[in-house]
Amino acid sequence: MIHLKDQVNVISELDDIDELVRLYWPRVLRYVTFSIGDRDLAESITQDCFLKAYRGRASFRGDCAVSTWLIGIANNLVRDQLRLKKFQFWRKANSTALDITELASFLPSGESSPEARLLARERSEQVKEALNGLSVNQRKVFLLKFFEEMTLDEIATMTGMPINTVKTHLYRAVTAIRTQMGEV
């Protein structure tokens, strides 16, 4: 009986699209943005993810958390985009577009000193470059572990990889990033 009650709560959570978006949009968007490196395209993919989740809410079995299910849908959409190379236009536009973070550095802020912001931005760029050097599976596992704070079991379930394969990809990703950032 308790299981049925939990099932009803999950279904009702999936039926309220506004609440679903409010709760999970930032997390899914962050994962997609770091996966593909383009904020505009990431927003489109995230929107597609929620639309697909809403339309397929009846197929949600409840085997995992709703957030894990949504990240799985987003992961499949990102994989489709990478496979089909549909965002080559966005790469060209991104290379010619103004860097918003650079422009934002000219705005006054009471949060941190200009030096701290510069160091944080440089560190962020180093991590971004290091992520681009990883294989698709290594990047996926790294992002899910450290940005989405998923457990290794959740990552294995979502990606369909055995737990030892997830551990291997994570170890290689961390080692490669540390090496590239000069921390080894």
Side-chain angles (χ1 to χ4, degrees):
M1 206 58 156
I2 292 172
H3 179 67
L4 181 60
K5 181 182 175 191
D6 291 341
Q7 184 80 12
V8 170
N9 287 340
V10 170
I11 291 171
S12 65
E13 181 182 10
L14 293 175
D15 286 337
D16 186 0
I17 188 69
D18 292 329
E19 185 65 13
L20 193 68
V21 168
R22 187 187 69 74
L23 286 174
Y24 300 110
W25 181 274
R27 186 174 185 182
V28 173
L29 179 62
R30 182 176 57 236
Y31 171 72
V32 174
T33 301
F34 276 106
S35 294
I36 61 173
D38 184 299
R39 174 75 179 203
D40 290 334
L41 184 57
E43 286 182 2
S44 295
I45 290 174
T46 303
Q47 185 175 5
D48 290 345
C49 172
F50 280 94
L51 183 62
K52 195 170 196 169
Y54 185 71
R55 287 181 177 162
R57 66 189 181 276
S59 67
F60 180 71
R61 296 184 310 260
D63 295 342
C64 60
V66 173
S67 61
T68 304
W69 185 60
L70 289 169
I71 293 289
I73 293 170
N75 187 50
N76 290 337
L77 291 170
V78 166
R79 186 177 56 226
D80 291 346
Q81 285 293 330
L82 292 173
R83 186 181 306 134
L84 298 175
K85 305 278 186 188
K86 284 186 176 179
F87 64 98
Q88 287 181 349
F89 165 80
W90 296 108
R91 284 187 185 162
K92 290 178 185 175
N94 190 29
S95 66
T96 60
L98 296 174
D99 185 11
I100 302 281
T101 57
E102 187 175 321
L103 295 175
S105 68
F106 294 110
L107 298 174
S109 172
E111 293 179 2
S112 61
S113 69
E115 294 84 11
R117 286 194 310 267
L118 179 63
L119 289 173
R121 192 172 354 146
E122 286 177 358
R123 187 85 167 155
S124 174
E125 287 299 317
Q126 286 176 334
V127 170
K128 194 176 184 180
E129 288 177 26
L131 282 172
N132 288 335
L134 300 176
S135 72
V136 173
N137 286 334
Q138 289 173 354
R139 181 174 45 247
K140 182 188 319 178
V141 170
F142 184 86
L143 290 171
L144 291 173
K145 176 66 178 160
F146 294 109
F147 287 86
E148 298 307 320
E149 299 175 354
M150 295 175 90
T151 66
L152 295 176
D153 289 332
E154 289 174 327
I155 295 170
T157 300
M158 195 203 74
T159 60
M161 293 182 212
I163 189 78
N164 287 335
T165 303
V166 170
K167 289 178 183 178
T168 301
H169 285 306
L170 183 60
Y171 174 79
R172 289 178 180 165
V174 169
T175 301
I177 288 174
R178 283 183 177 162
T179 301
Q180 187 161 343
M181 297 187 67
E183 294 182 6
V184 174

